[in-house]
Amino acid sequence: MDITEYISLVFTDYTLRTITLGTAILGAICGMLGSFAVLRKQSLLGDAISHAALPGIAIAFLIMGAKNSNVLLLGALISGLIGTFWIRGITSKTHLKSDTALGLILSLFFGFGMLLLTYIQKQPNANQAGLDKYLFGQAATLVESDVWLMGIVTGVCLLVMLLFWKEFKILLFDADYTKTLGFNTKFIDILITTFIVLAIVLGLQTVGVVLMSAMLLAPAAAARQWTNSLGIMVFLAAIFGASSGVLGTAISASHNNLSTGPVIVLVAAVFVLFSFIFSPSRGLLFREIRFRKNRNDLHLHKTLSFMYNIAKDHEDISHPHAIKILNNFHGFTKKSLQSLEHKNYIHIQGNMWSMTQEGYHKAANLYNQQA
Amino acid sequence: METPISKKHIDRPIAVRIDDLTVAYNYKPVLWDIDLVIPEGVLMAIVGPNGAGKSTLIKSILDIIKPIAGSVQIYNKPYKKQRSVVAYVPQKGSVDWDFPTTALDVVMMGTYGSLGWIKRPGQKQKKSALEALEKVGMLSFKDRQISQLSGGQQQRIFLARALVQNASIYFMDEPFQGVDATTEKAIINILKELRKAGKTVIVVHHDLQTVPEYFDWVTFLNVKKIATGPVKDIFNDDNLTKTYGINYKVSIQG
């Protein structure tokens, strides 16, 4: 199936429409909440939470003995939350830093989850097949009820975010100060963290435990490059996330059903790469261009001020001088002389140069205007 | 000359009263049994060596750090009931200045406390934020992304945010850290104006040379409270030596 066929199918084919809608919503909510995680410098928390959710899925299956995805997600939610609060407990009650706590919980829960998965696979239960899809995700298993659930959670999340926007913003920026204003910072904090856990758990079926944190971080990291406003950043991250979902699904469906989760994550990574390079204010490309321009300008100014020092000792400032006296030490090149002439700061005749009135004025005020 | 000043302050109401305040991290006391009375309308420096617990004192007064014992009264009521009359200027380094927001937006945060939950700031809040920006001389930078401000400008923004709160008591954690002479002058002038308006200003301060010039009240702190009172009476070599442990000679003008 090629991409045009895919586009026509999205509107007619039930399965494809469900998957596309699901990944789009998932991308949007992850981008939104990922912005908060990134700004709180809790980027790795998402990774720990998603890995911590695995044993919950396995235990839920063991208890229920069936693969009802809502029950499994509930298990994931509970174990994800337990993991999160253990991480907090470790960082606040011991001397360990948060990266250590994250790594510890991540590997402990993931190891336990894998242990349970292999145990389940050895059981004589026909239902067990496919539980490992939660490792790397399988968007194809999304059904309409899953998409409804995602939609409802996203809606609630959006509502809460709009309601508590001011509180979220100030907590992200300055938690201590927020407390002195009389806000219950613990409550705001738990609200944000719970939503991040929810978004991660929702994504497990589609993107999987291992890659889930990229869904959270990539759109937010890309969005940060384009704006200096929190609102626009959250909005852009949602757009980038949703686009990654849709494009990823399209690419995977039109190429022999490549695994959707990894493709979505790779598309999100392309957004990040593009943003890092091409963002006007923070991007590498424009920074390099600005850097070069500044260097060239400085170069010209240096030559110009050297000329000025020579010219000001003469009564006639336009008195011609030999180019040779501007030796290489002062860094002139043919190009920089041409560029100075082009700007009408100097005249060049043969191998002599002379300063114009304009160039003299410019050189005299070179440092005044910068002050 | 000294006695009248002291008398003047004794007649004033007590802005902050701290009793038996003790703070410990992992069994090691950071603040030990602090009793402190700060009269209204003083501009007070808290001085002491590194690790003396100066920032911790402010943070535990403001309930950011939980003390293991002690109580804090603001105008004879527990701090928790008096948050609205207290403003806080944290250390500049305590936040991420690359946060996606503008100078005006940060100053607006000073109005969030009076707004309470959910309610959004409106024109009235914006107006008072702009006024505060003007007071600290940063009005022309209102739309700047905060990472594009210099250290001194960032400090002024923090000060403006506290001014917006229109509090009676201001706690400031090293507002002069890393700012140039011009900004230092500008900030101290604002603090002196606050004092003139009857506000109480408490400042963690590091530069002993400027204490007599800037402040009228001082507290020496080194885990325990060494001394507290009018600068003219107690800012002397004896207390400095007790606080800093070495013979610390500071010339005191006037």
Side-chain angles (χ1 to χ4, degrees):
Chain A
M1 168 163 72
D2 66 13
I3 210 99
T4 45
E5 201 182 335
Y6 164 81
I7 290 168
S8 64
L9 271 178
V10 164
F11 296 101
T12 52
D13 184 78
Y14 168 81
T15 318
L16 213 51
R17 194 176 56 209
T18 309
I19 297 171
T20 307
L21 209 58
T23 51
I25 294 175
L26 179 71
I29 187 177
C30 283
M32 242 156 56
L33 291 165
S35 304
F36 295 141
V38 166
L39 289 175
R40 302 189 77 186
K41 313 219 180 328
Q42 287 185 333
S43 304
L44 280 175
L45 184 68
D47 210 21
I49 294 170
S50 65
H51 283 76
L54 191 62
I57 294 171
I59 290 171
F61 176 79
L62 280 174
I63 293 171
M64 303 304 289
K67 258 195 342 242
N68 177 328
S69 68
N70 287 346
V71 173
L72 296 188
L73 287 188
L74 192 65
L77 181 65
I78 292 169
S79 107
L81 282 172
I82 292 174
T84 312
F85 288 108
W86 280 13
I87 290 167
R88 288 167 170 282
I90 291 173
T91 29
S92 63
K93 299 271 183 320
T94 71
H95 283 293
L96 295 175
K97 296 277 176 285
S98 67
D99 57 337
T100 317
L102 287 170
L104 216 73
I105 293 297
L106 184 151
S107 33
L108 189 76
F109 274 65
F110 189 61
F112 184 51
M114 287 304 287
L115 188 93
L116 289 174
L117 273 193
T118 42
Y119 170 75
I120 289 168
Q121 268 160 13
K122 294 222 169 69
Q123 290 223 313
N125 182 339
N127 270 330
Q128 44 107 341
L131 210 58
D132 56 347
K133 78 175 184 208
Y134 284 97
L135 281 181
F136 296 105
Q138 202 172 355
T141 58
L142 281 178
V143 292
E144 204 178 308
S145 65
D146 296 328
V147 176
W148 271 111
L149 183 67
M150 282 181 187
I152 290 165
V153 172
T154 308
V156 171
C157 171
L158 198 67
L159 202 72
V160 169
M161 197 180 71
L162 289 176
L163 218 53
F164 293 103
W165 179 254
K166 155 174 132 268
E167 286 78 9
F168 280 9
K169 180 161 81 178
I170 191 171
L171 181 81
L172 289 174
F173 178 63
D174 193 345
D176 281 353
Y177 181 73
T178 311
K179 204 169 175 193
T180 68
L181 291 181
F183 289 103
N184 185 343
T185 47
K186 216 172 226 163
F187 172 72
I188 311 172
D189 187 32
I190 288 175
L191 211 59
I192 295 179
T193 312
T194 308
F195 274 113
I196 291 177
V197 177
L198 263 176
I200 288 170
V201 166
L202 281 179
L204 291 181
Q205 191 182 353
T206 317
V207 181
V209 164
V210 180
L211 293 174
M212 194 49 216
S213 68
M215 274 307 280
L216 211 59
L217 307 181
R224 180 67 187 91
Q225 298 296 312
W226 297 97
T227 174
N228 279 325
S229 144
L230 179 64
I232 296 174
M233 176 180 166
V234 171
F235 179 72
L236 271 182
I239 298 286
F240 287 161
S243 316
S244 311
V246 173
L247 284 173
T249 311
I251 293 168
S252 112
S254 52
H255 287 83
N256 243 340
N257 284 326
L258 282 173
S259 190
T260 318
V263 177
I264 294 176
V265 169
L266 284 176
V267 172
V270 170
F271 274 108
V272 173
L273 201 67
F274 183 82
S275 306
F276 278 175
I277 297 173
F278 294 105
S279 140
S281 62
R282 300 177 147 238
L284 295 174
L285 181 70
F286 288 94
R287 196 189 301 170
E288 182 65 28
I289 291 172
R290 269 197 304 274
F291 177 74
R292 294 212 171 167
K293 189 181 173 302
N294 283 343
R295 204 171 47 183
N296 288 341
D297 284 356
L298 267 175
H299 223 96
L300 286 187
H301 289 166
K302 210 170 91 179
T303 313
L304 191 66
S305 82
F306 183 64
M307 291 169 161
Y308 168 76
N309 282 327
I310 296 172
K312 75 174 179 194
D313 291 337
H314 294 262
E315 258 174 43
D316 174 19
I317 55 157
S318 298
H319 181 82
H321 301 271
I323 287 178
K324 266 194 185 151
I325 64 168
L326 310 165
N327 59 37
N328 280 328
F329 184 73
H330 289 279
F332 85 91
T333 58
K334 219 170 203 155
K335 211 173 129 201
S336 66
L337 284 182
Q338 267 167 9
S339 145
L340 282 172
E341 190 180 28
H342 183 73
K343 290 187 178 175
N344 213 10
Y345 292 161
I346 58 169
H347 280 305
I348 295 182
Q349 239 173 0
N351 47 12
M352 303 292 271
W353 61 268
S354 61
M355 228 167 183
T356 64
Q357 194 66 41
E358 199 185 337
Y360 188 83
H361 189 74
K362 168 86 183 166
N365 293 303
L366 209 51
Y367 298 105
N368 294 344
Q369 57 186 207
Q370 276 165 2
Chain B
M1 208 42 216
E2 287 165 9
T3 343
I5 288 174
S6 315
K7 261 231 173 82
K8 186 180 90 188
H9 287 298
I10 283 163
D11 295 338
R12 294 188 183 185
I14 293 165
V16 183
R17 173 193 287 281
I18 300 161
D19 289 305
D20 308 325
L21 188 77
T22 300
V23 178
Y25 301 134
N26 306 306
Y27 309 111
K28 187 176 171 283
V30 183
L31 289 174
W32 185 254
D33 201 21
I34 308 282
D35 294 311
L36 190 61
V37 171
I38 305 168
E40 182 183 64
V42 296
L43 178 46
M44 182 180 100
I46 302 175
V47 297
N50 291 330
K54 302 182 295 293
S55 295
T56 308
L57 177 61
I58 286 190
K59 284 184 180 169
S60 48
I61 292 171
L62 297 172
D63 203 31
I64 296 167
I65 292 173
K66 288 261 173 293
I68 51 177
S71 67
V72 176
Q73 304 255 311
I74 305 287
Y75 286 114
N76 296 317
K77 281 184 199 143
Y79 165 70
K80 277 183 189 163
K81 293 205 171 120
Q82 296 279 54
R83 284 187 201 272
S84 59
V85 301
V86 179
Y88 173 46
V89 178
Q91 276 190 26
K92 186 160 60 67
S94 66
V95 301
D96 172 16
W97 288 95
D98 197 34
F99 193 81
T101 191
T102 59
L104 176 63
D105 222 24
V106 172
V107 177
M108 292 267 270
M109 288 176 185
T111 67
Y112 287 8
S114 60
L115 280 170
W117 290 90
I118 295 170
K119 225 173 134 193
R120 296 291 181 90
Q123 280 309 314
K124 190 175 149 227
Q125 281 74 23
K126 190 173 172 187
K127 198 173 146 251
S128 56
L130 289 172
E131 278 167 15
L133 274 168
E134 184 157 31
K135 232 178 258 173
V136 299
M138 288 288 293
L139 193 57
S140 50
F141 294 91
K142 68 185 168 71
D143 295 319
R144 267 297 168 90
Q145 209 281 319
I146 51 171
S147 67
Q148 285 156 13
L149 298 170
S150 72
Q153 291 170 335
Q154 290 171 345
Q155 192 66 63
R156 290 182 196 215
I157 292 297
F158 259 15
L159 186 60
R161 184 176 70 171
L163 291 178
V164 164
Q165 288 179 252
N166 198 14
S168 310
I169 305 173
Y170 290 81
F171 288 94
M172 306 189 179
D173 204 341
E174 300 200 22
F176 302 114
Q177 193 186 41
V179 305
D180 61 20
T182 325
T183 307
E184 183 160 329
K185 271 268 140 23
I187 293 176
I188 194 65
N189 284 339
I190 290 167
L191 302 194
K192 283 180 173 168
E193 246 171 61
L194 285 172
R195 176 178 55 188
K196 208 184 276 171
K199 320 268 186 181
T200 311
V201 184
I202 296 135
V203 178
V204 170
H205 193 60
H206 256 304
D207 182 9
L208 294 172
Q209 305 291 340
T210 52
V211 169
E213 188 193 334
Y214 291 172
F215 300 94
D216 58 2
W217 209 262
V218 64
T219 292
F220 289 93
L221 187 75
N222 191 351
V223 183
K224 295 176 187 173
K225 182 192 77 181
I226 311 290
T228 184
V231 170
K232 293 220 164 176
D233 297 349
I234 67 157
F235 194 72
N236 51 38
D237 288 343
D238 184 34
N239 280 325
L240 284 166
T241 309
K242 275 189 207 159
T243 310
Y244 288 86
I246 49 163
N247 205 2
Y248 210 110
K249 296 273 181 205
V250 170
S251 61
I252 303 167
Q253 294 101 355

